[in-house]
Amino acid sequence: MHTDDLMTNSSSERKKLQRRIAVWTCVAVILVLAGLGSATWYAYWYLWPSYRAAFPPDSEEMARFGSFLQGAAGSVFALASVLFIYVAFLGQRVQILLQQDELEMTNDDVAEQRLRLDQQVYLSRKQLFESSFFHLLAAHSRILEGITIPIGGGKEEVGRDCFTRWYGQFRKDVFPKAQLEDPGSDSEVIERAFDRFYAFWRTDLGHYFRSLYNLTKFVKSADLPNPKFYTNLVRAQMSDQEVLILFYNCLTTRGAKFRPLVEEYALLKHLEPSDLCRPEHAEMYGKSAFGLQ
């Protein structure tokens, strides 16, 4: 039962008990007054005349008065005492209910404080994660910007332009040659072609993919309510050619560990199948990799 309902029921029960206390207290007081009144009446009518006549009542008369007090008046006082004990019991019950209400309120306060503490811990964890995440994202961007490849004439491609040239080389030269040399299943041709391509550009591509993999894995390990918000930021930083090379990298043995993360966080969402070496290669991934599930 909800705490508010418990406190409502407790308040209702307290009111009933307080009404009983008021009623039985009145009855007990009336009985006490009745007993005192009867004792006064007896003394006035049977004892006072003797005192007024200067003849104090004898021992027999006092014994009758004592018997009256023990009998009629005593019974009334005894019944009043029982009622006062009952009223005291009801009062204890009211105190217990008040203590229960205070305990419930204390529990609510503790629960609220725990909730606030959990929220503070969550916010602290989130702030720490975001600080580390954006630091890693900036570091990954610097790695990308630091990639350069010579193109002749003293010129060079820098950063994302390298991926444009790399993917053009892979699609137009490396993959077709691997297919002609030893036609086989698409997965075998991709493995062979990308291994050859990767071996030539290992230094830059290795650094890039390790950084991207660890950045994505860091998001997953943080166990946040909405990790895709952060992986979407990672994906938004990637050019089309980066996504295409990531696509083929994760179809090889080398990129097998990265592939589940690519599918989980839809890192290929904006990839166009027509840009692949063969459009049907897209079927080698689950639909979740393209954000379709």
Side-chain angles (χ1 to χ4, degrees), residues 68-140:
F68 175 80
L69 291 178
Q70 292 178 357
S75 299
V76 173
F77 287 137
L79 180 57
S81 298
V82 171
L83 290 179
F84 279 125
I85 292 173
Y86 178 63
V87 168
F89 170 76
L90 294 179
Q92 289 179 345
R93 177 60 181 162
V94 171
Q95 289 298 320
I96 291 173
L97 291 175
L98 287 171
Q99 290 174 357
Q100 288 177 344
D101 289 346
E102 291 176 357
L103 181 60
E104 290 295 336
M105 292 175 65
T106 301
N107 290 338
D108 286 346
D109 290 340
V110 171
E112 185 177 355
Q113 290 175 0
R114 185 181 295 112
L115 178 60
R116 290 179 180 175
L117 180 60
D118 290 343
Q119 290 175 341
Q120 290 175 355
V121 170
Y122 168 74
L123 289 175
S124 297
R125 284 183 55 207
K126 185 179 179 183
Q127 290 173 355
L128 179 61
F129 164 80
E130 289 185 345
S131 176
S132 300
F133 169 77
F134 287 111
H135 177 76
L136 291 173
L137 186 62
H140 178 71

Side-chain angles (χ1 to χ4, degrees), residues 167-183 189-190 192-194 196 248 276-278 281:
Y167 185 67
Q169 179 187 16
F170 179 79
R171 184 184 186 189
K172 297 176 181 179
D173 182 29
V174 181
F175 180 81
K177 284 184 179 179
Q179 196 171 30
L180 288 173
E181 289 172 1
D182 187 10
V189 174
I190 290 171
R192 191 167 60 253
F194 200 84
R196 186 179 302 171
Y248 284 108
L276 297 171
C277 296
R278 295 181 62 186
H281 288 171

Side-chain angles (χ1 to χ4, degrees), residues 107-233:
N107 290 338
D108 286 346
D109 290 340
V110 171
E112 185 177 355
Q113 290 175 0
R114 185 181 295 112
L115 178 60
R116 290 179 180 175
L117 180 60
D118 290 343
Q119 290 175 341
Q120 290 175 355
V121 170
Y122 168 74
L123 289 175
S124 297
R125 284 183 55 207
K126 185 179 179 183
Q127 290 173 355
L128 179 61
F129 164 80
E130 289 185 345
S131 176
S132 300
F133 169 77
F134 287 111
H135 177 76
L136 291 173
L137 186 62
H140 178 71
S141 296
R142 288 194 295 271
I143 290 172
L144 176 62
E145 292 168 0
I147 297 174
T148 60
I149 57 174
I151 57 175
K155 297 181 180 179
E156 58 183 15
E157 299 282 13
V158 180
R160 290 186 173 83
D161 292 338
C162 296
F163 282 84
T164 302
R165 182 170 292 272
W166 280 340
Y167 185 67
Q169 179 187 16
F170 179 79
R171 184 184 186 189
K172 297 176 181 179
D173 182 29
V174 181
F175 180 81
K177 284 184 179 179
Q179 196 171 30
L180 288 173
E181 289 172 1
D182 187 10
S185 66
D186 281 352
S187 60
E188 292 174 343
V189 174
I190 290 171
E191 180 85 34
R192 191 167 60 253
F194 200 84
D195 281 349
R196 186 179 302 171
F197 170 75
Y198 182 87
F200 195 80
W201 303 106
R202 176 188 299 272
T203 302
D204 291 322
L205 283 177
H207 196 187
Y208 173 86
F209 281 124
R210 284 193 298 272
S211 172
L212 184 60
Y213 171 74
N214 284 295
L215 177 58
T216 310
K217 189 177 179 181
F218 175 72
V219 175
K220 182 176 178 62
S221 63
D223 193 25
L224 295 171
N226 186 23
K228 285 192 175 182
F229 171 79
Y230 301 98
T231 55
N232 288 348
L233 294 178

